[in-house]
Amino acid sequence: MSTAHDLATAVAATRTAGITTPAWAAADPYSDALRTGRGPLFLRRADGWLLPLEVERWCAAADPVDLEVLERCEGAVLDVGCGPGRLVAALAAQGRRVLGIDVSEAAVAQTVRRLGHRERGEGPALLRSVFDPVPGEGGWGTALLMDGNVGIGGDPRALLRRLVQLLVPGGLLIAETVAVDIDERVRVQVVHGSDDRHSAGAPFLWARLGTPALLRHARRAGWRAVGQWTAGGRCFAALRSRSTNSSAEPPKSTAVIRSQRPRNPSADSPVADR
């Protein structure tokens, strides 16, 4: 994807494509939290286990840890599960070609507003599942799975195989992982507040992966690891397709700096057992 015109053309070509929007994407707790920029918001498992969602950080500007990740990006960037668009906005401000996709209409609307576009179709964000048609398939230089978005769909290997299709040969995937060694697939709901059972969204499948689990799935899906690092208490891995011989250098060495917690499910233990 060599020019901004290419990106605009690709977006226009898929603007009216049919998409699959999960029922949870319209869940009032999630949409309301993004509109207000405040939590508390959690993922709740069927057994009552709760995982905090960092709404305030999602809705803030990109922090130093985010910006370090963005410095590693190559070519046009696809932010998968862009949320309210802090990374899309930061990349756009740097003059980078970027597109955010998300299955939440509220998230896409926030991203568009953040960048000053009046209509969803005009800006660098689309209401779209990664498993549906995506603009510029096979032409993205970098894909981002930040803030726990390796959990999308509850099937990490299927997600990784899909991303191979979206990137250029030898393209870069940067994924944020849980800071413990975990490989979990669960059915969860978005809920507002730890005791609120009346404003839960529809159940959906999610996954949580530590770096060892991500690398295991990645090898089987045709990826090779080219870097791992931590920063601000967060863990990241960089991957490339093994189908090409890339001469690009791996991500820069580990830099540990202070920051807030990640946007999506955190790496901490559950905050409540009920």
Side-chain angles (χ1 to χ4, degrees), residues 6-247:
D6 294 334
L7 176 57
T9 301
V11 170
T14 61
R15 190 175 298 159
T16 59
I19 63 171
T20 303
T21 304
W24 69 266
D28 286 342
Y30 182 69
S31 299
D32 290 347
L34 292 190
R35 292 186 187 103
T36 63
R38 297 191 304 273
L41 200 69
F42 301 89
L43 289 185
R44 185 178 66 204
R45 208 163 58 187
D47 61 2
W49 182 92
L50 292 175
L51 192 67
L53 302 177
E54 303 292 338
V55 176
E56 290 82 2
R57 204 174 89 80
W58 308 353
C59 295
D63 69 16
V65 175
D66 296 327
L67 294 176
E68 181 194 347
V69 170
L70 300 188
E71 288 178 0
R72 301 167 186 263
C73 292
E74 304 168 354
V77 182
L78 180 67
D79 186 5
V80 179
C82 66
R86 79 183 192 278
L87 303 179
V88 174
L91 285 163
Q94 295 171 5
R96 305 291 296 271
R97 297 189 301 280
V98 58
L99 177 70
I101 58 172
D102 204 292
V103 296
S104 164
E105 189 167 359
V108 172
Q110 290 281 67
T111 301
V112 170
R113 281 194 291 271
R114 191 190 287 255
L115 276 87
H117 294 272
R118 291 175 298 173
E119 299 178 7
R120 185 176 63 224
E122 296 177 358
L126 286 177
L127 183 66
R128 192 64 45 92
S129 166
V130 68
F131 295 105
D132 287 316
V134 172
E137 295 202 11
W140 295 97
T142 303
L144 296 176
L145 287 176
M146 294 282 281
D147 310 325
N149 281 334
V150 290
I152 289 172
D155 187 342
R157 207 170 302 173
L159 178 59
L160 289 165
R161 286 195 296 265
R162 174 59 174 147
L163 290 172
V164 170
Q165 299 171 343
L166 296 177
L167 292 175
V168 297
L172 180 68
L173 168 63
I174 301 178
E176 184 169 355
T177 59
V178 178
V180 294
D181 188 1
I182 189 172
D183 187 352
E184 177 183 68
R185 278 160 290 284
V186 293
R187 186 174 293 274
V188 295
Q189 293 173 285
V190 177
V191 298
H192 177 76
S194 59
D195 297 319
D196 191 346
R197 291 183 175 272
H198 301 291
S199 61
F204 61 97
L205 294 175
W206 194 254
R208 295 179 70 222
L209 300 180
T211 298
L214 173 64
L215 298 184
R216 286 195 300 272
H217 290 294
R219 285 192 294 270
R220 296 185 179 102
W223 297 87
R224 61 184 176 88
V226 294
Q228 300 175 47
W229 71 98
T230 61
R234 297 161 62 185
C235 299
F236 303 90
L239 307 169
R240 289 192 190 277
S241 170
R242 292 183 298 178
S243 62
T244 64
N245 293 320
S246 173
S247 60

